[in-house]
Amino acid sequence: MVVGGFGIVVIALVVLVILVLFAGIKTVPQGYRYTVQRFGRYIRTLEPGLNLIVPFVETIGARMNVMEQVLAVPTQEVITKDNASVAADAVAFFQVLNAAQAAYQITNLESAILNLTKTNIRSVMGSMDLDELLSNRDAINERLLRVVDDAVEPWGIKVTRVEIKDIQPPKDLVDAMARQMKAEREKRAQVLEAEGLRNAQILRAEGAKQAAVLQAEGQREAAFRNAEARERLAEAEAKATRVVSEAIAEGNVQAINYFIAQKYTEALTAIGAAGNSKIVLMPMEASSILGSLGGIGAIAREVFGDNSDTPQASRPRSGQTRSTPAVNPLTPREE
């Protein structure tokens, strides 16, 4: 089959249309934005998905990544406010918010952000002392983030985080800091030990004070009870004496005999109970004591008078004599 000239033209037109369609259809992946230029001038931004442009008139300018990106800041030397030299590195996170501004407002975006971050790290860390620098990383990160984010805002960039990774002081400075930390810890340990000893002494003193107070209260209670017991004993003795006196007044001679015999027996008991007593000197024989008791009873009858109702004590008859054995008043008697 021979194709004429008209058929060749039709085929050429079809191929040209297909090529034009392929040139005008643009697919933008998720996370990217494409800028469109017409004769070299920016006109619009293509969103993710299928897009159409005018072939041979409009072209793709910049393919911008709008996902959050990480930028490593290399180690650099920083001089602190107190003239200490430290090495510090960091990491920055940024995101393109406006693809057109990021593409046409700055050349070499990542290099610009990197140099801007390094410069601000030296500025922020150089305005702080070494101790403040090592203990306030959160404050350093916050200041760096605020300064760098304000600087890149005209570029359509948002800096989300700036983090200091490591701060390395010189070795001799690290050794000095270690000795200082050790001295501080030993000082705190001594202070805590002294406070512990002081608290222990205070507790022991309070315990001794409470023990003395309780002992004094116990002694006071014991003295009070002893006094009460002596008072009751004195009352009992006074009552017994009063009863005996009343009995003697009524002419009961046996009462005074019982009273004197009781006291004599108690005295002998006390003498015999002594631990160092080996020999007891008796003043008289027991029979003499009984005779003395009878004599005392006779004296009491003469003083208070005879009572007809009270039985008379047996008196010796005139014809009878009472033999009393001779008694040595200091006759020793072994216990």
Side-chain angles (χ1 to χ4, degrees):
M1 178 178 178
V2 179
V3 179
F6 180 76
I8 296 174
V9 173
V10 171
I11 294 174
L13 290 176
V14 171
V15 172
L16 181 61
V17 170
I18 294 174
L19 292 177
V20 169
L21 290 176
F22 272 104
I25 297 175
K26 299 297 180 183
T27 303
V28 180
Q30 184 68 35
Y32 284 83
R33 299 292 186 274
Y34 290 177
T35 62
V36 178
Q37 301 176 156
R38 181 179 296 172
F39 301 114
R41 181 176 180 271
Y42 168 77
I43 57 174
R44 71 177 186 275
T45 301
L46 300 182
E47 297 295 328
L50 187 63
N51 296 270
L52 295 176
I53 63 174
V54 178
F56 311 113
V57 177
E58 297 178 350
T59 58
I60 301 299
R63 293 173 171 83
M64 303 302 299
N65 185 353
V66 296
M67 295 181 290
E68 188 171 3
Q69 303 176 60
V70 59
L71 183 64
V73 180
T75 303
Q76 59 179 334
E77 295 292 331
V78 178
I79 304 299
T80 62
K81 186 178 180 180
D82 52 355
N83 296 325
S85 178
V86 297
D89 57 353
V91 59
F93 296 85
F94 68 94
Q95 185 177 12
V96 176
L97 299 181
N98 191 316
Q101 290 180 348
Y104 301 109
Q105 293 291 336
I106 185 68
T107 302
N108 198 348
L109 179 62
E110 290 189 0
S111 178
I113 296 175
L114 176 62
N115 286 278
L116 185 62
T117 304
K118 292 173 64 177
T119 303
N120 283 278
I121 286 176
R122 286 194 295 268
S123 299
V124 172
M125 297 179 64
S127 63
M128 304 173 69
D129 295 332
L130 180 60
D131 293 337
E132 186 180 3
L133 187 68
L134 296 176
S135 60
N136 293 324
R137 289 198 178 189
D138 292 338
I140 297 173
N141 296 334
E142 191 272 333
R143 290 178 60 183
L144 284 174
L145 176 61
R146 185 176 65 252
V147 172
V148 176
D149 186 49
D150 291 341
V152 300
E153 184 178 1
W155 304 341
I157 305 297
K158 173 65 177 177
V159 178
T160 57
R161 284 182 296 175
V162 178
E163 300 285 343
I164 298 296
K165 292 173 60 177
D166 192 15
I167 299 176
Q168 298 177 354
K171 187 177 184 303
D172 55 348
L173 189 58
V174 173
D175 295 338
M177 293 172 60
R179 291 193 299 270
Q180 180 182 2
M181 180 182 64
K182 182 178 179 181
E184 290 291 337
R185 290 184 182 274
E186 290 178 352
K187 177 182 176 181
R188 288 198 297 267
Q190 292 176 359
V191 170
L192 292 176
E193 184 178 1
E195 290 180 354
L197 292 176
R198 184 188 66 180
N199 293 334
Q201 291 177 357
I202 292 174
L203 291 177
R204 283 196 294 268
E206 290 181 353
K209 176 183 176 182
Q210 293 180 359
V213 170
L214 293 176
Q215 184 178 5
E217 291 180 354
Q219 292 177 355
R220 183 182 66 179
E221 184 67 19
F224 176 77
R225 293 184 180 274
N226 290 334
E228 185 178 2
R230 289 195 300 271
E231 181 181 358
R232 292 184 179 179
L233 180 61
E235 291 178 356
E237 291 180 354
K239 183 177 181 180
T241 303
R242 185 174 64 253
V243 171
V244 171
S245 300
E246 291 176 356
I248 293 173
E250 293 175 358
N252 189 356
V253 182
Q254 300 297 329
I256 191 171
N257 291 337
Y258 171 76
F259 185 74
I260 295 175
Q262 182 183 9
K263 295 298 182 180
Y264 180 76
T265 304
E266 292 177 356
L268 291 180
T269 303
I271 293 173
N276 57 355
S277 299
K278 300 301 180 181
I279 298 176
V280 179
L281 300 178
M282 301 295 295
M284 57 189 66
E285 294 292 340
S287 59
S288 299
I289 294 299
L290 296 177
S292 299
L293 294 178
I296 293 172
I299 294 173
R301 282 195 301 273
E302 292 178 0
V303 173
F304 298 106
D306 294 337
N307 191 350
S308 59
D309 296 334
T310 303
Q312 301 294 327
S314 59
R315 299 179 180 178
R317 297 180 182 180
S318 58
Q320 297 178 353
T321 60
R322 183 177 180 181
S323 61
T324 301
V327 178
N328 187 0
L330 298 177
T331 302
R333 180 181 178 183
E334 294 185 357
E335 185 180 11

